[in-house]
Amino acid sequence: MSLVRKTKPSIRHTIVDPRLLYGLLFVALLMRFARGGTANASYLVLAAYALFGRAQAIQALALSWLFTMLSAGVAPEASGATVGRYAVLGAAVAATIGRAAPAKGVFSISRPVLATLALGAFIVFHSILFSDVPDVSIFKAVSWTLAMASLLSAWKGLSSLERARLERQLFGGLAALLLVSVPFAFSGIGYLRNGTGFQGILNHPQALGPTAALLGAWASGRLLGLSRPRALDGALLGLCLTLVVMSQSRAAGLALAMGVASAVLLLPVVTRTPLPRLMPGLASRWALVAVVAAAIALVFVGPVLGQRLGSYIQKGSDSPSWFEIADQSRGELVDKMVANIKEEPLTGIGFGVASDPSSMVTVRDSVLGLPVSAVSEKGVLPLAVPEELGILGLLLVIIWLCPMIMRGARSGVAAFAVLATVLFTNLGESTFFSPGGMGLLYLVFFAWAVTGSHNNVRGSKRG
């Protein structure tokens, strides 16, 4: 049987048999868990898969994140991952740009994509003029711009059926990832990074926690947005909350709480839609059952739960103050960023440049010498942006971000909760503009949130 079936001849378009595509993904997964060059070649298979369409480009980028973030306890390290993920990104860009051109050869670019390209062009120009490490800033700026623009274009170009199917696949994939991680809670493999925070099958507790927070925000949004919430979503939310606490990622826990709270408090105002109509789940019998069950549980496990939460918040600190705990966790990073902002308030130090540029270790491609990796740890995104891009750069980022937030608000409760959780997570881990690690996962779901249908603001009966 042929693996390619033809549509109407006038369309000049072919549709690849899904079995071939799923086979490619299966091969890529098997290769990633192999050793040596086979693990590296798995990224090339993903890159080939990305070329088949918009949905495939999004899936490939999401899997590229997974391949990069897998724990060494469950899969060997891929020495070529740094270069491999750029191959996947390049293929995704090629796939989305190729489908942005209609039959007459004129490119159709949506406003979010155009705004992203404009912001990216500014950052590149800024990097040339003001960055302390220009080539690093330019490479990071181009990488983020292409990743964000291609994801926005890909999500926007999907039909409603394709979008719904891909949404189920991605969120279902995250749920499967968390479920597979659970057995490792009883093994040292699940705590390889620091021996205390649970990381599951990912390489860091600070990866598992935010991942669980994103999925928890989506489940929360579904519970609120449906008049007849599903018990499965409630169970999923419970699992996510448990894993967030086990990961000891306070940034993820705070982001999840603030993301869902923002959806409840801000969406009725932004969309001018009454709360009962916007979130019928609040008035459902399942909500009443949940409240009663929570009250009963607090009576029996309240003291133990309080102790657990206290330990989670303090995370080994003896300080009773939340501000002191935050200072101990991010104070040194914040002090360096503030000092740089005071010294270079107008120009900044350069996009993606570490607060102390001399401490930044840059990995370059052996062939072209491109700076494919240059880690710069930043603790607070709202400070990292003016530190790197100056006051004008901060204003332009705000101008770019505000319409995106409004689009997310019009996409529904679940979308806005996920979008807000992404942004609030970056109050503790500045990774939104770094598509090489956790930032890539954030971009995938940020783009999903801001490209949703504006009809989704109204609650529905079933998901």
Side-chain angles (χ1 to χ4, degrees), residues 342-395:
K342 290 180 178 179
E343 185 174 348
E344 301 286 353
L346 297 179
T347 62
I349 64 174
F351 184 73
V353 175
S355 296
D356 179 8
S358 63
S359 67
M360 189 166 58
V361 178
T362 302
V363 178
R364 297 182 179 275
D365 172 50
S366 58
V367 178
L368 300 176
L370 297 175
V372 294
S373 177
V375 179
S376 57
E377 184 179 2
K378 303 289 180 74
V380 182
L381 182 65
L383 288 178
V385 173
E387 180 201 22
E388 296 177 2
L389 299 177
I391 301 302
L392 177 59
L394 174 63
L395 292 176

Side-chain angles (χ1 to χ4, degrees), residues 8-9 11 15 44 59 72 114 118 124 126 184 192-193 246 255 265 305 311 362 373 381 390 396 405 414 440:
K8 296 180 180 179
I11 298 179
I15 300 176
L44 299 180
Q59 290 172 325
L114 186 61
V124 170
H126 176 278
F184 292 96
L192 278 179
R193 188 72 183 192
M246 290 178 62
L265 298 176
L305 180 61
S311 176
T362 302
S373 177
L381 182 65
L396 292 179
I405 294 176
L440 183 56

Side-chain angles (χ1 to χ4, degrees), residues 115-451:
T116 301
L117 294 175
L119 177 61
F122 164 79
I123 298 175
V124 170
F125 185 67
H126 176 278
S127 301
I128 296 172
L129 295 180
F130 304 114
S131 175
D132 291 344
V133 192
D135 60 341
V136 169
S137 294
I138 293 171
F139 193 80
K140 286 190 173 185
V142 171
S143 299
W144 178 83
T145 303
L146 292 178
M148 186 79 264
S150 61
L151 283 166
L152 288 170
S153 178
W155 276 113
K156 191 65 177 178
L158 295 177
S159 69
S160 57
L161 291 177
E162 291 172 328
R163 180 183 175 88
R165 180 170 60 248
L166 182 56
E167 176 184 313
R168 290 193 300 269
Q169 290 172 345
L170 290 178
F171 283 107
L174 290 187
L177 185 155
L178 297 184
L179 288 173
V180 171
S181 292
V182 170
F184 292 96
F186 308 97
S187 167
I189 294 177
Y191 304 87
L192 278 179
R193 188 72 183 192
N194 56 27
T196 56
F198 181 57
Q199 66 188 67
I201 66 170
L202 299 181
N203 63 5
H204 203 293
Q206 299 300 325
L208 184 74
T211 301
L214 286 179
L215 188 60
W218 179 74
S220 298
R222 286 175 57 84
L223 289 169
L224 293 171
L226 300 176
S227 59
R228 289 183 287 175
R230 294 178 174 178
L232 182 60
D233 290 326
L236 184 59
L237 176 59
L239 173 64
C240 292
L241 291 173
T242 301
L243 293 181
V244 166
V245 173
M246 290 178 62
S247 73
Q248 298 183 339
S249 175
R250 293 173 298 198
L254 182 62
L256 175 56
M258 295 177 67
V260 176
S262 297
V264 174
L265 298 176
L266 297 181
L267 274 184
V269 178
V270 174
T271 63
R272 298 180 182 179
T273 305
L275 185 62
R277 185 181 180 186
L278 187 65
M279 303 180 196
L282 290 173
S284 68
R285 67 175 183 273
W286 291 108
L288 178 61
V289 171
V291 170
V292 173
I296 294 174
L298 284 175
V299 172
F300 291 98
V301 301
V304 177
L305 180 61
Q307 184 179 6
R308 292 280 187 181
L309 288 176
S311 176
Y312 165 69
I313 293 171
Q314 291 186 318
K315 198 177 179 179
S317 173
D318 295 330
S319 175
S321 169
W322 283 34
F323 293 102
E324 291 182 8
I325 293 173
D327 183 66
Q328 292 173 5
S329 176
R330 293 290 184 268
E332 184 177 353
L333 295 174
V334 169
D335 290 341
K336 291 180 180 178
M337 287 190 287
V338 171
N340 284 331
I341 293 173
K342 290 180 178 179
E343 185 174 348
E344 301 286 353
L346 297 179
T347 62
I349 64 174
F351 184 73
V353 175
S355 296
D356 179 8
S358 63
S359 67
M360 189 166 58
V361 178
T362 302
V363 178
R364 297 182 179 275
D365 172 50
S366 58
V367 178
L368 300 176
L370 297 175
V372 294
S373 177
V375 179
S376 57
E377 184 179 2
K378 303 289 180 74
V380 182
L381 182 65
L383 288 178
V385 173
E387 180 201 22
E388 296 177 2
L389 299 177
I391 301 302
L392 177 59
L394 174 63
L395 292 176
L396 292 179
V397 169
I398 292 174
I399 291 173
W400 173 82
L401 186 58
C402 285
M404 297 292 185
I405 294 176
M406 294 300 296
R407 287 176 176 272
R410 294 192 294 268
S411 297
V413 183
F416 188 77
V418 169
L419 182 149
T421 300
V422 166
L423 296 178
F424 283 125
T425 300
N426 278 264
L427 292 179
E429 296 287 343
S430 181
T431 54
F432 183 77
F433 288 101
S434 301
M438 277 302 299
L440 183 56
L441 184 69
Y442 294 150
L443 296 189
V444 168
F445 289 103
F446 180 88
W448 164 77
V450 303
T451 56

